């Protein structure tokens, strides 16, 4: 089994981004890598994300996502984005959620790499 890569842009709050995707249930133990960027990160327009692992751990809890400069929807700039990786066991469901404030848009990519 090879990697699974998902990506999209969220323009509204989403309580469970991975629900209904190929990563709703992890097929085997491995690593989940999240690459996150938003177009704005000010007081009126921003995005925060949370990640809850299947065992209940919350390594990201309402963390503000850095903005792309210049502000571009759909862009993940590896020089400016937030990238984090977490180990995950087979069969687990990771809850990845976002809260948009104002007109901010979250661009995300999640990569599952089998162990």
């Amino acid at each position: 089994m090879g990697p699974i890569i998902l990506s999209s842009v969220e323009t509204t709050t989403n309580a469970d981004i991975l629900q209904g995707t190929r990563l709703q249930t992890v097929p085997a133990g491995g690593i989940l890598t999240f690459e996150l960027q938003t177009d704005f990160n000010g007081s009126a327009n921003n995005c925060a994300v949370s990640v809850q692992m299947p065992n209940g751990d919350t390594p990201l809890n309402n963390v503000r996502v850095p903005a792309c400069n210049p502000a571009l929807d759909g862009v993940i700039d590896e020089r400016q984005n937030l990238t984090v990786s977490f180990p995950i066991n087979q069969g687990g469901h990771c809850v990845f959620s976002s809260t948009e404030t104002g007109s901010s848009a979250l661009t995300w990519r999640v990569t599952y790499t089998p162990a």
Side-chain angles (χ1 to χ4, degrees):
M1 169 183 292
I4 297 172
I5 302 169
L6 305 174
S7 65
S8 190
V9 175
E10 304 294 322
T11 57
T12 61
T13 295
N14 189 333
D16 195 351
I17 294 171
L18 298 178
Q19 181 70 33
T21 71
R22 292 180 60 206
L23 290 177
Q24 176 175 316
T25 303
V26 176
I31 302 291
L32 282 180
T33 299
F34 295 81
E35 297 170 85
L36 310 167
Q37 189 110 48
T38 189
D39 52 354
F40 298 105
N41 189 11
S43 59
N45 298 300
N46 61 71
C47 179
V49 296
S50 296
V51 172
Q52 182 178 18
M53 302 306 287
N55 65 359
D57 289 348
T58 53
L60 294 179
N61 189 12
N62 203 36
V63 174
R64 289 264 295 262
V65 177
C68 184
N69 185 12
L72 300 169
D73 288 352
V75 171
I76 297 177
D77 183 338
E78 66 185 23
R79 299 168 302 163
Q80 303 175 27
N81 73 328
L82 172 62
T83 300
V84 292
S85 298
F86 307 111
I88 191 164
N89 294 324
Q90 179 178 9
H93 175 67
C94 178
V95 178
F96 169 39
S97 61
S98 66
T99 304
E100 275 74 35
T101 301
S103 63
S104 186
L106 171 69
T107 303
W108 61 269
R109 179 169 44 236
V110 176
T111 302
Y112 161 76
T113 307

mmCIF file of all heavy atoms in Angstrom, residues 69-91:
data_model
loop_
_atom_site.group_PDB
_atom_site.id
_atom_site.type_symbol
_atom_site.label_atom_id
_atom_site.label_comp_id
_atom_site.label_asym_id
_atom_site.label_seq_id
_atom_site.Cartn_x
_atom_site.Cartn_y
_atom_site.Cartn_z
ATOM 1 N N ASN A 69 1.637 34.886 2.168
ATOM 2 C CA ASN A 69 1.873 36.282 1.797
ATOM 3 C C ASN A 69 2.545 36.306 0.428
ATOM 4 O O ASN A 69 3.670 35.838 0.296
ATOM 5 C CB ASN A 69 2.762 36.955 2.832
ATOM 6 C CG ASN A 69 2.932 38.423 2.562
ATOM 7 O OD1 ASN A 69 2.238 39.004 1.739
ATOM 8 N ND2 ASN A 69 3.877 39.036 3.246
ATOM 9 N N PRO A 70 1.878 36.767 -0.631
ATOM 10 C CA PRO A 70 0.591 37.461 -0.633
ATOM 11 C C PRO A 70 -0.570 36.489 -0.432
ATOM 12 O O PRO A 70 -0.416 35.296 -0.631
ATOM 13 C CB PRO A 70 0.532 38.090 -2.029
ATOM 14 C CG PRO A 70 1.351 37.168 -2.881
ATOM 15 C CD PRO A 70 2.451 36.665 -1.982
ATOM 16 N N ALA A 71 -1.730 37.020 -0.022
ATOM 17 C CA ALA A 71 -2.910 36.208 0.257
ATOM 18 C C ALA A 71 -3.431 35.553 -1.018
ATOM 19 O O ALA A 71 -3.888 36.229 -1.931
ATOM 20 C CB ALA A 71 -4.000 37.073 0.887
ATOM 21 N N LEU A 72 -3.322 34.231 -1.085
ATOM 22 C CA LEU A 72 -3.768 33.472 -2.253
ATOM 23 C C LEU A 72 -4.536 32.237 -1.800
ATOM 24 O O LEU A 72 -3.978 31.400 -1.076
ATOM 25 C CB LEU A 72 -2.569 33.045 -3.103
ATOM 26 C CG LEU A 72 -1.685 34.148 -3.674
ATOM 27 C CD1 LEU A 72 -0.407 33.560 -4.244
ATOM 28 C CD2 LEU A 72 -2.451 34.930 -4.727
ATOM 29 N N ASP A 73 -5.792 32.107 -2.209
ATOM 30 C CA ASP A 73 -6.556 30.890 -1.915
ATOM 31 C C ASP A 73 -5.934 29.707 -2.640
ATOM 32 O O ASP A 73 -5.496 29.829 -3.778
ATOM 33 C CB ASP A 73 -8.018 31.035 -2.378
ATOM 34 C CG ASP A 73 -8.822 31.983 -1.517
ATOM 35 O OD1 ASP A 73 -8.313 32.423 -0.476
ATOM 36 O OD2 ASP A 73 -9.969 32.268 -1.898
ATOM 37 N N GLY A 74 -5.896 28.565 -1.976
ATOM 38 C CA GLY A 74 -5.429 27.344 -2.610
ATOM 39 C C GLY A 74 -3.933 27.163 -2.649
ATOM 40 O O GLY A 74 -3.452 26.185 -3.206
ATOM 41 N N VAL A 75 -3.181 28.077 -2.064
ATOM 42 C CA VAL A 75 -1.716 27.986 -2.095
ATOM 43 C C VAL A 75 -1.190 27.490 -0.754
ATOM 44 O O VAL A 75 -1.594 27.971 0.297
ATOM 45 C CB VAL A 75 -1.086 29.363 -2.427
ATOM 46 C CG1 VAL A 75 0.426 29.332 -2.250
ATOM 47 C CG2 VAL A 75 -1.460 29.778 -3.832
ATOM 48 N N ILE A 76 -0.293 26.514 -0.812
ATOM 49 C CA ILE A 76 0.459 26.080 0.367
ATOM 50 C C ILE A 76 1.923 26.371 0.063
ATOM 51 O O ILE A 76 2.529 25.723 -0.789
ATOM 52 C CB ILE A 76 0.238 24.588 0.679
ATOM 53 C CG1 ILE A 76 -1.230 24.320 1.022
ATOM 54 C CG2 ILE A 76 1.151 24.154 1.822
ATOM 55 C CD1 ILE A 76 -1.550 22.865 1.271
ATOM 56 N N ASP A 77 2.478 27.356 0.739
ATOM 57 C CA ASP A 77 3.864 27.774 0.537
ATOM 58 C C ASP A 77 4.701 27.143 1.646
ATOM 59 O O ASP A 77 4.549 27.489 2.818
ATOM 60 C CB ASP A 77 3.951 29.304 0.587
ATOM 61 C CG ASP A 77 5.353 29.829 0.319
ATOM 62 O OD1 ASP A 77 6.336 29.074 0.505
ATOM 63 O OD2 ASP A 77 5.457 31.004 -0.057
ATOM 64 N N GLU A 78 5.574 26.215 1.284
ATOM 65 C CA GLU A 78 6.345 25.477 2.284
ATOM 66 C C GLU A 78 7.237 26.374 3.132
ATOM 67 O O GLU A 78 7.697 25.973 4.193
ATOM 68 C CB GLU A 78 7.163 24.376 1.630
ATOM 69 C CG GLU A 78 8.241 24.886 0.710
ATOM 70 C CD GLU A 78 8.967 23.776 -0.018
ATOM 71 O OE1 GLU A 78 8.418 22.685 -0.171
ATOM 72 O OE2 GLU A 78 10.111 24.026 -0.431
ATOM 73 N N ARG A 79 7.476 27.605 2.708
ATOM 74 C CA ARG A 79 8.274 28.545 3.497
ATOM 75 C C ARG A 79 7.455 29.200 4.606
ATOM 76 O O ARG A 79 8.021 29.765 5.538
ATOM 77 C CB ARG A 79 8.866 29.629 2.601
ATOM 78 C CG ARG A 79 9.790 29.109 1.518
ATOM 79 C CD ARG A 79 10.099 30.164 0.501
ATOM 80 N NE ARG A 79 8.843 30.634 -0.086
ATOM 81 C CZ ARG A 79 8.718 31.761 -0.770
ATOM 82 N NH1 ARG A 79 9.752 32.545 -0.954
ATOM 83 N NH2 ARG A 79 7.552 32.103 -1.285
ATOM 84 N N GLN A 80 6.106 29.152 4.501
ATOM 85 C CA GLN A 80 5.252 29.892 5.423
ATOM 86 C C GLN A 80 4.185 29.041 6.099
ATOM 87 O O GLN A 80 3.552 29.498 7.034
ATOM 88 C CB GLN A 80 4.534 31.021 4.666
ATOM 89 C CG GLN A 80 5.455 31.978 3.979
ATOM 90 C CD GLN A 80 4.683 32.986 3.146
ATOM 91 O OE1 GLN A 80 3.539 33.310 3.430
ATOM 92 N NE2 GLN A 80 5.298 33.502 2.114
ATOM 93 N N ASN A 81 3.947 27.838 5.622
ATOM 94 C CA ASN A 81 2.811 27.055 6.119
ATOM 95 C C ASN A 81 3.110 26.378 7.459
ATOM 96 O O ASN A 81 4.237 26.393 7.949
ATOM 97 C CB ASN A 81 2.394 26.008 5.091
ATOM 98 C CG ASN A 81 3.374 24.855 4.988
ATOM 99 O OD1 ASN A 81 4.576 25.029 5.182
ATOM 100 N ND2 ASN A 81 2.878 23.693 4.669
ATOM 101 N N LEU A 82 2.067 25.802 8.032
ATOM 102 C CA LEU A 82 2.190 24.975 9.235
ATOM 103 C C LEU A 82 2.174 23.526 8.782
ATOM 104 O O LEU A 82 1.222 23.091 8.122
ATOM 105 C CB LEU A 82 1.008 25.243 10.185
ATOM 106 C CG LEU A 82 0.879 24.328 11.399
ATOM 107 C CD1 LEU A 82 2.088 24.459 12.315
ATOM 108 C CD2 LEU A 82 -0.408 24.637 12.151
ATOM 109 N N THR A 83 3.239 22.787 9.082
ATOM 110 C CA THR A 83 3.327 21.368 8.754
ATOM 111 C C THR A 83 3.597 20.597 10.031
ATOM 112 O O THR A 83 4.548 20.914 10.760
ATOM 113 C CB THR A 83 4.453 21.088 7.736
ATOM 114 O OG1 THR A 83 4.187 21.814 6.532
ATOM 115 C CG2 THR A 83 4.548 19.604 7.411
ATOM 116 N N VAL A 84 2.748 19.590 10.306
ATOM 117 C CA VAL A 84 2.924 18.737 11.475
ATOM 118 C C VAL A 84 2.624 17.297 11.080
ATOM 119 O O VAL A 84 1.821 17.050 10.179
ATOM 120 C CB VAL A 84 2.006 19.155 12.654
ATOM 121 C CG1 VAL A 84 2.426 20.491 13.226
ATOM 122 C CG2 VAL A 84 0.555 19.200 12.236
ATOM 123 N N SER A 85 3.285 16.349 11.744
ATOM 124 C CA SER A 85 3.085 14.924 11.477
ATOM 125 C C SER A 85 2.832 14.188 12.778
ATOM 126 O O SER A 85 3.467 14.485 13.798
ATOM 127 C CB SER A 85 4.315 14.323 10.793
ATOM 128 O OG SER A 85 4.539 14.927 9.547
ATOM 129 N N PHE A 86 1.902 13.215 12.715
ATOM 130 C CA PHE A 86 1.547 12.434 13.896
ATOM 131 C C PHE A 86 1.444 10.957 13.526
ATOM 132 O O PHE A 86 0.888 10.624 12.471
ATOM 133 C CB PHE A 86 0.189 12.881 14.461
ATOM 134 C CG PHE A 86 0.098 14.362 14.711
ATOM 135 C CD1 PHE A 86 -0.725 15.152 13.939
ATOM 136 C CD2 PHE A 86 0.836 14.958 15.718
ATOM 137 C CE1 PHE A 86 -0.816 16.515 14.161
ATOM 138 C CE2 PHE A 86 0.757 16.320 15.940
ATOM 139 C CZ PHE A 86 -0.076 17.103 15.163
ATOM 140 N N PRO A 87 1.941 10.067 14.402
ATOM 141 C CA PRO A 87 1.737 8.634 14.158
ATOM 142 C C PRO A 87 0.270 8.280 14.409
ATOM 143 O O PRO A 87 -0.405 8.898 15.243
ATOM 144 C CB PRO A 87 2.652 7.960 15.183
ATOM 145 C CG PRO A 87 2.857 8.973 16.256
ATOM 146 C CD PRO A 87 2.707 10.326 15.613
ATOM 147 N N ILE A 88 -0.235 7.289 13.659
ATOM 148 C CA ILE A 88 -1.620 6.856 13.832
ATOM 149 C C ILE A 88 -1.693 5.347 13.625
ATOM 150 O O ILE A 88 -0.944 4.785 12.816
ATOM 151 C CB ILE A 88 -2.567 7.605 12.861
ATOM 152 C CG1 ILE A 88 -4.023 7.347 13.227
ATOM 153 C CG2 ILE A 88 -2.258 7.281 11.420
ATOM 154 C CD1 ILE A 88 -5.003 8.307 12.593
ATOM 155 N N ASN A 89 -2.566 4.690 14.382
ATOM 156 C CA ASN A 89 -2.729 3.245 14.287
ATOM 157 C C ASN A 89 -3.810 2.876 13.281
ATOM 158 O O ASN A 89 -4.694 3.670 12.973
ATOM 159 C CB ASN A 89 -3.092 2.655 15.659
ATOM 160 C CG ASN A 89 -1.962 2.793 16.650
ATOM 161 O OD1 ASN A 89 -0.792 2.690 16.292
ATOM 162 N ND2 ASN A 89 -2.294 3.053 17.898
ATOM 163 N N GLN A 90 -3.754 1.648 12.825
ATOM 164 C CA GLN A 90 -4.742 1.136 11.879
ATOM 165 C C GLN A 90 -6.152 1.228 12.451
ATOM 166 O O GLN A 90 -6.368 0.978 13.636
ATOM 167 C CB GLN A 90 -4.438 -0.319 11.538
ATOM 168 C CG GLN A 90 -5.439 -0.940 10.583
ATOM 169 C CD GLN A 90 -5.093 -2.371 10.234
ATOM 170 O OE1 GLN A 90 -4.195 -2.960 10.819
ATOM 171 N NE2 GLN A 90 -5.810 -2.921 9.282
ATOM 172 N N GLY A 91 -7.091 1.596 11.596
ATOM 173 C CA GLY A 91 -8.497 1.616 11.974
ATOM 174 C C GLY A 91 -8.943 2.852 12.713
ATOM 175 O O GLY A 91 -10.125 3.031 12.977
#
